[in-house]
Amino acid sequence: GITPIDLQSDLALEDDTAFYGRLILFPGVRHGIVVEGFQVELNGVNNLSRSVVFNGRIYDVRDTISSGASLDMVYAGYQYSVLRGRRGRLSFGGGAAYLGASGSLRSEGTGISASREHRIAVPLAAMEARFLVLPRSELLEAAADLKGMTFGPLGYYAQGSIHGGINIGWLGVRVGYMFVDADIHEDGGRVGIAPRLS
């Protein structure tokens, strides 16, 4: 129904690490092709105790709920470096993202379970900035990127990150912080994907 469910307080989905990978190919000095993606899977078990108002009456719900949620994203796009120098670059571009989300709930008391899966593809505008920390070396690099688009009555998608790391030849290893905030639904209705992750 339309009763909101909080992933942490109601379902006790535990924080976990997730895989995030990115590959950038440069067929030209200023031209880049970007492919990236991530996968998040969360599971939880919680003893739920709350009141629900339905048709003017209050119902107390006490049950043990097992739950799971997952979100997958794959993005492919193009970027053009409008600024490029010995210390870094600033690029703009765009592409398309494919999102898949699923969730499941199971009442341990009654054995009743439900699941839902939703997949959608969206266009995204993108921006990326990279900065070499050391003057004459590509060893240490700091970077930030932002992707997003608003779809009017169908919602929006925003994703950003800031990270830094080490470059070893063609390979870079980084650590950082990333967020995803989206609310995408079909035909202005309630069916869709609305993750908020960091």
Side-chain angles (χ1 to χ4, degrees), residues 60-140:
D60 292 322
V61 178
R62 286 177 175 76
D63 199 353
T64 299
I65 303 294
S66 299
S67 57
S70 69
L71 176 68
D72 307 318
M73 189 278 277
V74 177
Y75 169 83
Y78 166 81
Q79 66 180 26
Y80 180 79
S81 298
V82 294
L83 298 174
R84 183 180 177 278
R86 287 179 292 183
R87 297 296 298 273
R89 68 176 184 270
L90 176 64
S91 303
F92 293 92
Y98 175 79
L99 299 165
S102 64
S104 63
L105 290 173
R106 177 180 169 83
S107 164
E108 299 298 329
T110 64
I112 297 173
S113 63
S115 62
R116 187 88 181 250
E117 185 174 355
H118 197 71
R119 301 188 181 280
I120 194 167
V122 293
L124 296 177
M127 178 187 78
E128 180 186 40
R130 291 171 177 257
F131 177 73
L132 296 175
V133 178
L134 303 175
R136 287 173 293 278
S137 173
E138 295 186 4
L139 181 64
L140 299 177

Side-chain angles (χ1 to χ4, degrees), residues 1-5 10 48-62:
I2 60 173
T3 303
I5 297 174
D10 287 342
L48 183 62
S49 178
R50 63 183 290 182
S51 297
V52 176
V53 178
F54 180 73
N55 199 23
R57 297 185 63 182
I58 299 175
Y59 296 86
D60 292 322
V61 178
R62 286 177 175 76

Side-chain angles (χ1 to χ4, degrees), residues 8-73:
Q8 289 184 323
S9 64
D10 287 342
L11 302 185
L13 292 182
E14 298 178 357
D15 289 339
D16 199 357
T17 57
F19 171 79
Y20 169 73
R22 171 183 251 191
L23 174 66
I24 304 177
L25 302 173
F26 294 98
V29 176
R30 293 183 178 267
H31 306 276
I33 298 171
V34 183
V35 178
E36 67 179 66
F38 63 82
Q39 182 179 36
V40 178
E41 290 192 16
L42 304 170
N43 294 288
V45 177
N46 196 25
N47 293 316
L48 183 62
S49 178
R50 63 183 290 182
S51 297
V52 176
V53 178
F54 180 73
N55 199 23
R57 297 185 63 182
I58 299 175
Y59 296 86
D60 292 322
V61 178
R62 286 177 175 76
D63 199 353
T64 299
I65 303 294
S66 299
S67 57
S70 69
L71 176 68
D72 307 318
M73 189 278 277

